[in-house]
Each structure stands twice: as C-alpha cells, then as structure tokens.
Amino acid sequence: MEGGFDGAGAAEVVAELRESFESGRTRSFEWRVAQLKGIARLIVEKEAEITAALDDDLAKPQIESFIGEISMVRESCRFALKELKRWMKPEKVATSVTTFPSSAKVVSEPLGVVLIISAWNYPFLLSIDPVIGAIAAGNAVVLKPSEVAPATSSFFARILPDYVDNSCIRVVEGSIPETTALLDQKFDKILYTGNARVGRIVMTAAAKHLTPVVLELGGKCPVLVDSNVDIKVATRRIVAGKWGCNSGQACIAPDYIITTKSFAPKLVDALKITLEKFYGKDPLESADLSRIVNSNHFKRLMNLLDDEKVSGTIVHGGQRNEKRLRIAPTILLDVPSDSLIMKEEVFGPLLPIVTVDELREGFGLINSKGKPLAAYLFTKDRKLEEKFVKSVSAGGMVINDTILQVTNPRLPFGGVGESGMGSYHGKFSFDAFSHKKAVLSRGFGGDVSMRYPPYTAHKQKILRGLITGNIIAVFLALIGWTRH
Ligand code: NAD
C-alpha cells in the first residue's frame, strides 16, 4: 500500500500520473506494447504466486484459477497485442455533400488518467483485464484492487511495478477510505466492478468531475430450462456455470432456474446426480469447490437460507461449515417470489428453482426484475430461442450453455440497467478507454461563395437543394429557371 494513503496521497499519485500522461509517453504504440508485454511476462513468470494468492483469498481450485483468471488474462494480452495496431489506426469514414471536398476520420485518443476499482470474486482477472484495455488505449492508470481479496491485492502492489512503467501505472491498495480519497480526485474515466450500491457512490463522485464511468455490476442471472433439452448435457453446463465458477460467487453465474412444474422433478434429479458426480458425496470436503470469501458473505448466504419463507424448500445440500467457510451446493425448489433469495442476488452456492406452467411465463418473470448481467436458455426450440433473444433484456446471453460469453473477446462484456453501463473486453476495452475524435480535413480549393452571406433567394434555393439532395432543384436554380 502507498504509505498512509489519504486525500493528499491520492492527489499526489494522480498528479504524478497526469504529468506522465501529459509528457505524451503513454501515447506511443511502443509504450503500449511494452506494457502489455510486461503483463504477459508477469503471467508466465508469476503463475505460481497468482495461483497461491487466489488459493489464499478463495481456496480457488488451481485449474479454476488457471482457466477462469490466468488464461483469460493471457488471452486478453495476446489479443490486444495482435490487434493493437489496427485498433489505433484512424478509421476513415465517408464524407457528405455539405463538406465536399474533404476527408473524414475517427481518431481514437487516450482519455488521460483512469481509475479502475476492482471486486474480490475474480480478483486477478477483474483487476488486470481492464488495465490491459486502459493501457492499450494509451492511458495512465490507477488500479485499486479489492481489499476483500487481500492476497491478490498485495500481489499486485508488490509485483506489478516490476513489470510495467510505474510512472504511468500505479496500484493503490485499501478499502473505503482509500477508495473515497481516490474518488475525490479528477479522473478521465472510472471503471468500477462490484455491487450496485457502491456503483451509485462511484457514479455520484464521478459526476462532480463530469467523469464518465463504466459500471460492471451484478444482478440475478436467470436460467430458463425447457423440457426438450438433452438433460445430461444441460445439467452439466448449469452445474459447471454455477458451482464450477467460484462456488457461485461469480457475476454471471446462474442465480436461479425457471422451469415448468412438470419438468422440475426430473431436472432436480439430474442436477443431484451431476453434483454428486462432480463433487462427491461430501461436497464440503471437495477440493474442486471454492470456499466463501469471508464470514460476512457466509452470514449473508445463511440469512438467505434461514429465511422462513424458504423453509422446507431445500431439496439438495444445505450442509455448511462456518469455520471453514464452506457451503455445499444447495438447491431449493418452488421458492416464493417474495423470499429474500428471490429478491437479492445470491452470489454463492445456493440455486433456487421457480416453477411455471408454461416456459414463456418466465420471460415476464425475468423482465419484472432488474435487467440481469446474463440470461441463459436451454432449449431445442428455435422459435423459443428467437423469442427469448428478442424479448428478454440482459447484458449478455448464452443459449444452451452458461458463462461462456465471457471467453469471447469479440463480444462486449457489460450490463444494462441495474446490471451496469458500458462494456469492455477486446476492442470494447480499447473503446471504453478512448475518446473517438471526429477529424474533418479540407484543403483551400473548391471554396464556394454559396455558403456565405448574404443569403440571396438564388443561394437559398441551391443550398436547400444541395442539403435535401434535390439535384433537380439545384440544377434549375443554377440555370436560373423559375416557376411562373
Ligand atoms: P467488493 O466488496 O470487492 O467491492 C468492490 C470495490 O468497491 C472494492 O474495490 C471496494 O474497495 C470498493 N468499495 C466498497 N465500498 C465502497 C465505498 N463505500 N466507497 C467506495 N468504494 C467502495 O465487491 P462486491 O461489491 O462485494 O462485489 C460483488 C458484486 O459485484 C456482485 O453484485 C457481483 O455481481 C458484482 N460483480 C460484477 C462483475 C462484472 O463484471 N459485471 C464482476 C464481479 C462482480
């Protein structure tokens, strides 16, 4: 941590970075590539330390850390390095008759000094992935990792400076006071990942400086399951997306299932079989399940389970070990819509199932809640799929699988409504941290007096004709024809 970090410390860091940014050094292609290569090298050289930090923070299974965090960041770096030249190239666009003769282009320019505030659940990925976008776009960056994942936060503070230009990229550790001190400063963009309550705090602080924000929030991600699915494949993909992602502590993990009353018993049986296959008879002992991050979150989850409105609905799991912060994969069937677990984001290993008579009723149910970050549908019915894509609003969607949308760098990742604003990943990250500057360029030839006063009736006819594309009117005005 920056020693005794307070308002003055925050101001000093931002002033230093601003000076570096204004020197112009972050703008060159070479600087950006050197930083991205530094991060790529860090991933290779420090993989064991990253894995150990994730184990400390969340007891994340090694392979999950590798697939869900380390390799994702590696791919992000590789993709940015491969595409950067193209992304940076000004984009030529067509010109219009009113600007003839001219050329026009969109130039991506860096915004300046940006702030990235990260969350604890994928503490490596969610911290460094936006940094990759900010660097690719040529910005100076302050990264504030989550204090709820202290080992990963400390890893960044200790190790990142060895791999990137410390005069332009800084890590500030800390919790609310340090983040508040940073938020008092003027940044040119803030990307925040976390819950919507703090999202509002971030946006309010940003408004003071007219700083634009990307808010990567959460919400309740629904999974609609049709009765016509390949049930074995569907349940494997649901279980992997829910419990195989940090024990459900993932923003795009399935939050609840909607299925028909008649199909629910079959689905529950299949989920139980898959869960036992994946995590054994005593899942509290499974090395393939992450633990709950801390006792506050453990208590929050217990509160959802102990709500009397869901009493008697647990059809699988429910075991817990508070000391070891472990909760077994738990399924609740037919939970009432006014129960806590259906009102709040679960963000843990509990999976409520809501039943309906007709699957399409689920669309209304989803749309009656805040717009989710992700929505999933399992079906073989193409028409239902089309209807789902058209009528359900969500940050992103996957049909017949879960969570895989996050792995394609050509897809934007971000929420809508309550689940956030703005997006990143791949080129979307570059764009999120760039200003799209319109540049119109003209020579001195072809200057027509038509556009300048005095606006005679003759000039007006020609101008109107030109602007409305009425070539005949222009022609007639030019040859001096008037209607009698
Ligand atoms: P968290 O507790 O790590 O908080 C996020 C960040 O906000 C931290 O860096 C923290 O220091 C800072 N913070 C906390 N309180 C603050 C305050 N009062 N003022 C200023 N800063 C403050 O993470 P969390 O909020 O528990 O994260 C879980 C939530 O994030 C869930 O809703 C989840 O769905 C969402 N999430 C979204 C994404 C995404 O990409 N959209 C990814 C992960 C998590």
Side-chain angles (χ1 to χ4, degrees):
M1 191 194 312
E2 307 269 335
F5 194 85
D6 54 11
E12 198 180 315
V13 167
V14 176
E16 278 173 36
L17 293 194
R18 197 160 292 289
E19 200 182 323
S20 303
F21 177 75
E22 275 159 16
S23 76
R25 99 170 141 270
T26 64
R27 291 177 180 256
S28 76
F29 175 73
E30 290 70 24
W31 182 87
R32 303 183 199 196
V33 165
Q35 309 318 306
L36 293 173
K37 283 190 171 162
I39 295 175
R41 198 157 53 80
L42 174 149
I43 297 163
V44 173
E45 292 176 5
K46 299 292 173 189
E47 183 182 327
E49 279 186 54
I50 300 164
T51 310
L54 293 171
D55 182 46
D56 265 15
D57 286 332
L58 288 145
K60 238 183 224 203
Q62 272 194 24
I63 189 66
E64 221 186 289
S65 295
F66 181 72
I67 295 173
E69 305 223 33
I70 297 167
S71 69
M72 294 272 292
V73 176
R74 192 172 59 182
E75 173 57 16
S76 239
C77 262
R78 192 196 63 78
F79 193 70
L81 281 165
K82 182 168 147 262
E83 300 289 330
L84 187 59
K85 208 162 232 158
R86 202 189 338 222
W87 295 346
M88 286 176 71
K89 217 166 143 190
E91 183 197 341
K92 276 195 156 221
V93 294
T95 53
S96 58
V97 66
T98 44
T99 63
F100 181 82
S102 68
S103 66
K105 59 189 171 186
V106 180
V107 174
S108 294
E109 80 176 8
L111 293 168
V113 183
V114 304
L115 172 63
I116 289 162
I117 305 172
S118 177
W120 53 265
N121 60 326
Y122 280 75
F124 183 66
L125 172 73
L126 297 176
S127 298
I128 202 74
D129 206 28
V131 171
I132 290 171
I135 293 169
N139 297 282
V141 190
V142 177
L143 166 64
K144 212 298 288 172
S146 175
E147 73 283 15
V148 183
T152 312
S153 174
S154 146
F155 168 85
F156 278 122
R158 283 181 291 110
I159 307 294
L160 194 62
D162 295 343
Y163 288 86
V164 293
D165 176 354
N166 201 24
S167 71
C168 303
I169 300 163
R170 296 289 277 276
V171 179
V172 173
E173 284 195 279
S175 54
I176 298 177
E178 291 79 5
T179 318
T180 307
L182 283 170
L183 285 171
D184 278 342
Q185 308 304 311
K186 178 175 166 50
F187 287 93
D188 298 291
K189 186 113 190 195
I190 300 173
L191 185 148
Y192 160 81
T193 305
N195 67 72
R197 184 185 61 77
V198 176
R200 286 177 169 84
I201 295 175
V202 170
M203 202 168 170
T204 306
K208 267 193 298 197
H209 301 289
L210 274 186
T211 298
V213 292
V214 172
L215 298 181
E216 292 286 339
L217 312 178
K220 291 186 81 63
C221 301
V223 188
L224 254 91
V225 187
D226 202 348
S227 56
N228 62 13
V229 296
D230 177 329
I231 196 159
K232 189 172 165 202
V233 175
T235 48
R236 272 161 37 156
R237 292 177 180 177
I238 294 169
V239 170
K242 174 73 178 179
W243 292 281
C245 286
N246 221 12
S247 279
Q249 302 169 103
C251 53
I252 50 170
D255 186 280
Y256 64 105
I257 286 181
I258 303 172
T259 193
T260 55
K261 284 190 175 50
S262 53
F263 187 62
K266 218 171 149 190
L267 180 64
V268 169
D269 285 347
L271 284 167
K272 285 182 186 175
I273 292 169
T274 308
L275 278 168
E276 196 175 314
K277 257 194 197 144
F278 284 11
Y279 305 116
K281 284 201 183 313
D282 186 2
L284 292 181
E285 296 304 321
S286 170
D288 293 328
L289 280 167
S290 305
R291 67 162 160 73
I292 305 307
V293 67
N294 61 27
S295 58
N296 286 344
H297 280 275
F298 187 91
K299 285 187 188 117
R300 177 184 64 75
L301 288 160
M302 285 306 110
N303 210 27
L304 299 183
L305 269 192
D306 296 341
D307 174 11
E308 60 180 29
K309 292 206 165 109
V310 298
S311 89
T313 62
I314 295 180
V315 289
H316 184 75
Q319 306 91 321
R320 58 198 80 170
N321 181 329
E322 184 161 5
K323 222 165 132 213
R324 293 174 53 230
L325 297 174
R326 302 233 167 216
I327 302 174
T330 299
I331 302 172
L332 302 90
L333 182 60
D334 272 328
V335 290
S337 57
D338 62 347
S339 54
L340 271 183
I341 202 166
M342 283 310 292
K343 286 198 201 146
E344 289 177 14
E345 180 182 2
V346 174
F347 218 62
L350 321 175
L351 182 64
I353 300 180
V354 175
T355 57
V356 287
D357 292 320
E358 285 282 329
L359 205 58
R360 279 173 198 238
E361 288 169 40
F363 294 4
L365 188 68
I366 298 169
N367 287 337
S368 71
K369 299 182 181 296
K371 295 181 180 182
L373 186 57
Y376 304 109
L377 169 68
F378 284 83
T379 188
K380 285 182 178 164
D381 179 345
R382 286 275 164 177
K383 286 227 165 72
L384 187 74
E385 175 179 338
E386 263 170 44
K387 180 106 185 25
F388 181 73
V389 174
K390 263 195 202 145
S391 53
V392 171
S393 186
M397 299 186 148
V398 184
I399 313 298
N400 294 328
D401 213 322
T402 61
I403 64 134
L404 291 185
Q405 72 275 36
V406 73
T407 61
N408 184 341
R410 289 183 174 82
L411 286 175
F413 186 78
V416 55
E418 276 290 304
S419 55
M421 62 185 71
S423 60
Y424 71 123
H425 283 196
K427 169 88 164 25
F428 302 96
S429 294
F430 178 85
D431 289 343
F433 289 108
S434 299
H435 165 60
K436 300 292 169 186
K437 187 160 68 181
V439 180
L440 183 81
S441 175
R442 310 196 72 198
F444 292 98
D447 197 47
V448 284
S449 60
M450 200 76 59
R451 60 184 273 213
Y452 305 116
Y455 297 117
T456 61
H458 177 68
K459 277 188 186 174
Q460 287 189 40
K461 266 188 205 153
I462 295 177
L463 280 174
R464 276 179 180 276
L466 277 174
I467 289 166
T468 58
N470 187 345
I471 302 303
I472 295 174
V474 176
F475 176 73
L476 292 177
L478 283 172
I479 62 169
W481 185 84
T482 47
R483 197 197 299 253
H484 293 290

